[in-house]
Every structure is written in C-alpha cells, then in structure tokens.
Amino acid sequence: MVAGINLVALRAVCVKRRSKLILGPVSLDLKGSGLTIVLGPNGAGKTTFLKVLHGIERISSGSVQWSMAERSVRRTQSYVFQRPVMLRRTVRQNLAYPMKLLGQQASKIDEHVIYWANQIGLTEMLNSPATRLSGGEKQKLALGRALIRKPKILFLDEPCANLDGRSTREIETLLLSANSSGTRIIMATHDLGQSRRLATDVVFLLNGQVHEQGPAEDILCSPQTSEAKAFLKGEIVE
Ligand SMILES: Nc1ncnc2c1ncn2[C@@H]1O[C@H](COP(=O)(O)OP(=O)(O)O)[C@@H](O)[C@H]1O
Ligand SMILES: [Mg+2]
C-alpha cells in the first residue's frame, strides 16, 4: 500500500436493523496509511462501521470498494473485538492458532509465538490457560493473536475500554509500533485522550452519521460541526 492512495471507498452505505437505520448513509474514503480513530459516543455506530469495513455486517444499500483484489481483502485483515474471545487453551495455543490456520510450519510458528509472547509481555504465561488471564492480559493476547498474522489492516473495537492505565499504555505502544511497521490501523474509541495520543486521522460518528472526517489535528483541535465541538468539550452528546 502506498501512502496517499485510497484504501477503501464507501458510497451511501446504510445498515438497517428491524427497519431502523443504525448507520448511514455514509460516504467516505480512507487513505492507505496511518491510524484512523473512529470516534463517537456509545450507540453512535462505531462497531457497526468497523464491521461493515471488515465485511461482517450486512449492508442494506450502498457500496464498499477496496483498492485491493476482493479475495485478498479479508485474508489481509485482522479484527480485535471489544470483548476478546479466547480459546479455552494455553496462551501458547492461542497465539499459534492463527498461524496454524495459515498452514505455517511448526518451527516457524514456535519462533513467532515466542517473539509475540515477549512483545505482549506474556512470556511467563505461555503455558497458562488463557481463560485465567486478567482483562488487560487477555486484550494483549487478542492483539498478539491479531498481529502474529502480520495483517495489512487491523481493526480494533475499543480495545482499552475497561482497562487500567498501564495496560492501556502497553496496548497503545504495541499499536504505534505495528502502525510504524506498516500495519494500517482503524480503531473505534470514545476516549478523547486516546484519540489525541494515537490518531493520524479521525472519523467522528454520531447517530449513525459521519459528522466530520479529516486529519487528527483539524478534527481534534478545530472541529467545525456543533456536535463534534460539544463532544470534544466533554459535553454529553446524544
Ligand atoms: N443487532 C441490532 N439490532 C438492532 N439495533 C442494533 C443492533 N446492533 C446495534 N444496534 C443499534 O445500532 C446503533 C449503533 O450501534 P453500535 O454500532 O454498536 O454503536 P457504538 O459501537 O458506537 O456504541 C445503536 O443505537 C444500537 O442500539
Ligand atoms: Mg461499539
């Protein structure tokens, strides 16, 4: 992927559930590089938006056009859900699983598992059951499991919701490092501080609509719409 080139184009995308419009119409382009923060209060449509991009939410109308071949789109993406789902096995087996699915050799899998366990600070826990990990450790494992596949695009849905400051900082460090090694990141959050620390560009969502989109410094420092201004001032926006 080349910086500046469009990655994906959404045109008039709508998602309806029980005849209620929960997202859209959304039309926007995302660029090929950077770390996009999808920002907005609870219920704004952030999760739905990420799922539409990843192709796991059915759209009612509109189109999602990727710049890469259709069949390679999903294979090059990883998605970290808001509540990580662990295999009821060890940390080692959880990390190895995505590589096994890709049909990698056992020796290569071992090497990568050891590397990533170290990156996420879980080397000591490699043989512990994943279900016994703390919330922060589970989220780091979910991130390790996503990154071990070297995705071109990584989606994260509020990965630090419910985590303490230390776990949040560790996850943010991993994300910035993955991003600077070339992984395109698209991440939902309602946390303004996190947006300021991480974003290169921002999509501000409210009531299923994109109210603003652009470079982080524009949106976070001088928002144009009254809705974004209110949200950035910390007011309750519905
Ligand atoms: N399966 C569903 N059926 C009906 N409404 C839904 C469903 N999923 C989400 N919604 C509604 O769609 C809106 C957007 O939800 P969501 O994308 O989860 O927002 P966010 O992630 O920003 O909190 C919310 O009003 C939510 O109640
Ligand atoms: Mg959500």
Side-chain angles (χ1 to χ4, degrees):
M1 264 173 285
V2 182
I5 302 263
N6 281 346
L7 175 73
V8 62
L10 275 67
R11 293 294 173 265
V13 168
C14 290
V15 175
K16 283 186 188 159
R17 289 289 167 266
R18 296 187 208 99
S19 75
K20 186 187 160 218
L21 188 63
I22 61 170
L23 184 76
V26 171
S27 297
L28 57 76
D29 295 335
L30 292 177
K31 296 240 184 296
S33 64
L35 194 159
T36 301
I37 290 285
V38 181
L39 184 65
N42 281 332
K46 302 181 297 298
T47 298
T48 309
F49 179 75
L50 290 186
K51 286 183 171 172
V52 163
L53 284 172
H54 191 46
I56 53 174
E57 178 81 63
R58 192 172 49 81
I59 62 176
S60 314
S61 55
S63 65
V64 179
Q65 190 72 50
W66 289 89
S67 61
M68 59 189 83
E70 198 66 38
R71 66 195 152 77
S72 65
V73 167
R74 284 287 289 284
R75 260 193 306 121
T76 57
Q77 298 182 349
S78 289
Y79 192 107
V80 176
F81 289 89
Q82 187 164 4
R83 283 189 200 83
V85 185
M86 296 294 126
L87 297 178
R88 298 176 73 81
R89 298 188 197 155
T90 62
V91 168
R92 184 189 297 279
Q93 286 167 319
N94 269 273
L95 277 173
Y97 185 68
M99 296 200 75
K100 282 195 176 149
L101 286 184
L102 292 174
Q104 305 277 1
Q105 283 178 336
S107 60
K108 195 172 172 193
I109 295 179
D110 282 349
E111 192 186 310
H112 279 71
V113 164
I114 287 166
Y115 174 80
W116 279 103
N118 183 44
Q119 290 295 105
I120 60 177
L122 293 182
T123 302
E124 311 278 290
M125 317 281 275
L126 267 171
N127 297 318
S128 307
T131 45
R132 215 176 285 161
L133 300 178
S134 71
E137 288 166 342
K138 277 189 187 143
Q139 197 56 276
K140 281 187 283 180
L141 178 55
L143 184 56
R145 229 172 30 179
L147 288 172
I148 205 167
R149 302 177 54 215
K150 292 202 174 23
K152 289 206 170 90
I153 304 167
L154 173 63
F155 296 103
L156 303 119
D157 192 359
E158 309 214 31
C160 302
N162 312 317
L163 297 190
D164 61 17
R166 182 175 167 194
S167 301
T168 298
R169 194 168 57 240
E170 287 168 350
I171 284 177
E172 289 183 359
T173 303
L174 286 164
L175 292 177
L176 288 171
S177 156
N179 191 225
S180 61
S181 326
T183 298
R184 179 72 171 89
I185 294 179
I186 302 171
M187 170 172 154
T189 185
H190 61 258
D191 181 341
L192 270 176
Q194 183 159 64
S195 306
R196 295 209 161 92
R197 292 190 295 274
L198 299 180
T200 52
D201 62 293
V202 173
V203 174
F204 177 67
L205 274 176
L206 185 63
N207 296 325
Q209 305 265 343
V210 175
H211 281 257
E212 297 207 25
Q213 186 208 356
E217 61 270 28
D218 293 356
I219 311 287
L220 299 174
C221 300
S222 45
Q224 300 298 310
T225 62
S226 55
E227 293 86 353
K229 278 181 191 160
F231 184 78
L232 291 166
K233 269 195 267 172
E235 290 168 12
I236 294 169
V237 182
E238 293 173 295

